[in-house]
Amino acid sequence: QTALRSGLGAAYQRKEKAAQAASQAAKGAMLETVLEAKGRIQGLLMDALDPGEASKLSREDLELQLTDLVAELLKAEKITLNASEQSMLVRTLVDDMVGLGPIEPLLADDSITEIMVNGPKAVYIERDGRIELSGVTFHDDRHVMNAAIRIAARVGRRIDESSPTCDARLDDGSRVNIIVPPLALRGPTISIRKFNRCNFTLRDLVQRGSLSEEIAAILRIACRSRVNILISGGTGTGKTTLLNAISEMIDPDERIITIEDAAELQLQQPHVAPLETRPANLEGDGRITARDLLRNSLRMR
């Protein structure tokens, strides 16, 4: 009976993997069809649109107006798409116009924790701690550069040969680093560390196997005893996640001041004053460092 159950479980797993593979293949074929149609009508669409007026519309209104215009262009070019493909085509066009292009769906996927664009044809993602090639591509280096320029412009920065690096924060709190030629030898490179919407507790970390119950108990005692705690580690090792988890032990009556390069902490206490460093402006002035903010915090009780 045990052997039968084991065989049944393996059969279900094979069936599930086969279904997932078929689904991925169908999505890939659909995306290829949409991208081919996009390449044929995008130039015509840009000629028909007034960029000034389009920039004033919300994303929803722009999608609504583009739907009819795209349908007309598809008919004129004798391109046949079903309703789902037309809807995907409109979304990809809007992503190019007001979003971050092909990586916009990756930003919306909560299972993805990091996005790494190593040029137009190599977009990697991190999911469940593993790095994998996403299958998402840009047209060319110019397409990647347009997304990079759009990111930099949102935070009042510029990115070009004279200013080839940029650290920024997206509207949802995700951290972005951009580096372009001549420093990036294989074209514009974008790294996005997505903002974690899940606020894990110490109990969650223990249940996930990230901490032992004994270490969690030590951290609780250390927090309650108000001792200094230093959290260090490499990129992506969970420093911010751990700090968020142990911060729940801080008494709600305490005044907390946080200093970050990009605000990521999600403290639940009512008396929190978050501070964020600031890079220099286009003229090279106005830079505020963590050291400056630390000095200022001494005057903030």
Side-chain angles (χ1 to χ4, degrees), residues 31 35 38 101-103 106 119-123 133-140 143-144:
L31 181 59
L35 291 179
K38 178 185 174 186
I103 61 174
L106 303 181
K121 305 303 180 185
V123 179
L133 192 62
S134 68
V136 170
T137 61
F138 289 79
H139 298 311
D140 49 31
H143 196 191
V144 181

Side-chain angles (χ1 to χ4, degrees), residues 55-66:
S55 63
K56 298 176 184 177
L57 298 175
S58 66
R59 183 185 178 92
E60 292 75 15
D61 290 339
L62 186 58
E63 280 192 18
L64 194 61
Q65 295 203 17
L66 282 187

Side-chain angles (χ1 to χ4, degrees), residues 4-228:
L4 287 174
R5 288 184 180 277
S6 177
L8 185 61
Y12 274 122
Q13 287 180 354
R14 287 195 296 271
K15 183 178 179 181
E16 186 176 347
K17 287 182 180 179
Q20 289 176 349
S23 175
Q24 290 294 332
K27 286 180 181 178
M30 180 177 175
L31 181 59
E32 189 174 336
T33 301
V34 168
L35 291 179
E36 183 181 347
K38 178 185 174 186
R40 291 177 59 181
I41 72 166
Q42 191 167 23
L44 298 172
L45 180 65
M46 294 299 105
D47 292 339
L49 279 177
D50 181 346
E53 291 299 319
S55 63
K56 298 176 184 177
L57 298 175
S58 66
R59 183 185 178 92
E60 292 75 15
D61 290 339
L62 186 58
E63 280 192 18
L64 194 61
Q65 295 203 17
L66 282 187
T67 299
D68 293 337
L69 186 53
V70 165
E72 291 179 17
L73 290 174
L74 291 174
K75 185 176 180 181
E77 291 295 303
K78 296 182 173 57
I79 301 173
T80 303
L81 297 181
N82 60 37
S84 297
E85 290 168 340
Q86 283 197 39
S87 179
M88 178 184 282
L89 175 58
V90 170
R91 287 198 304 272
T92 58
L93 288 167
V94 173
D95 287 341
D96 272 353
M97 295 170 66
V98 298
L100 301 182
I103 61 174
E104 196 73 33
L106 303 181
L107 287 167
D109 187 343
D110 288 337
S111 69
I112 296 173
T113 53
E114 192 144 359
I115 303 167
M116 295 148 278
V117 182
N118 302 343
K121 305 303 180 185
V123 179
Y124 288 84
I125 60 172
E126 181 188 63
R127 180 186 277 125
D128 296 328
R130 292 193 176 96
I131 294 177
E132 59 190 68
L133 192 62
S134 68
V136 170
T137 61
F138 289 79
H139 298 311
D140 49 31
D141 282 349
R142 185 70 244 173
H143 196 191
V144 181
M145 194 66 186
N146 286 339
I149 291 171
R150 196 172 291 123
I151 291 171
R154 289 180 180 179
V155 292
R157 304 284 303 281
R158 74 177 182 194
I159 189 80
D160 52 32
E161 287 189 5
S162 61
S163 181
T165 64
C166 176
D167 283 309
R169 184 156 54 89
L170 299 181
D171 295 338
D172 67 352
S174 299
R175 295 180 63 174
V176 184
N177 176 269
I178 304 168
I179 183 165
V180 302
L183 301 186
L185 302 182
R186 294 189 176 179
T189 302
I190 303 173
S191 306
I192 302 176
R193 169 64 59 82
K194 290 178 63 180
F195 181 73
N196 188 359
R197 294 178 176 84
C198 298
N199 194 15
F200 294 116
T201 64
L202 283 177
R203 184 178 298 277
D204 293 330
L205 297 181
V206 170
Q207 290 176 346
R208 287 169 171 262
S210 301
L211 289 178
S212 68
E213 186 59 63
E214 292 78 11
I215 291 296
I218 290 173
L219 290 174
R220 291 189 184 96
I221 294 169
C223 290
R224 294 299 189 191
S225 301
R226 301 166 59 93
V227 302
N228 293 332

